[in-house]
Amino acid sequence: MIDVEVEDEAWAAAIVDVEAVVVAAAEAALGMVAGAVTILLADDATVRDLNARFRGKDRPTNVLSFPAAPMPGAVPEPLGDIILAYGTCASEAEAQAKSLADHLRHLVVHGVLHLLGRDHKSDAEAEAMEAEEREILSGLGVADPYRAVA
């Protein structure tokens, strides 16, 4: 189950059927894993507040993932929440010469993989996670997000 909440209407104004874009990316990242994910499309102020409170970093970031606490017997099992910041994501997409929709797909996949336990703290973890992202995104018709921008 994937629940999408659009808090900042700039997302809906910038991407046609933004909820469907998010759901498709999350489903692709989940694959055969059953679980509940909530994805909040927010503004930079909301993400900045969460980043400061939970990570000690007083600035907005593109995406935050918050794994859910284990809930034995819950069906589907809650995996966690993903929150994205419109202004940061839009600026990054422009700077990287990507469509905002494709950048959003990438960040949703990235966030879901974090909820599934993937990480990028070490070089080996980063390489494995990036390879998994590339494969999932390719299936969605999205170009390699790590390609060099000319």
Side-chain angles (χ1 to χ4, degrees), residues 6 122 124 129-130:
V6 181
S122 72
M129 188 169 175
E130 288 172 12

Side-chain angles (χ1 to χ4, degrees), residues 24 33 68-69 143:
V33 175

Side-chain angles (χ1 to χ4, degrees), residues 44 47-52 55-61 88:
D44 279 15
V47 173
R48 179 182 183 156
D49 177 59
L50 292 168
N51 205 23
R55 298 181 65 228
K57 298 179 180 186
D58 189 17
R59 63 181 182 274
T61 188
T88 299

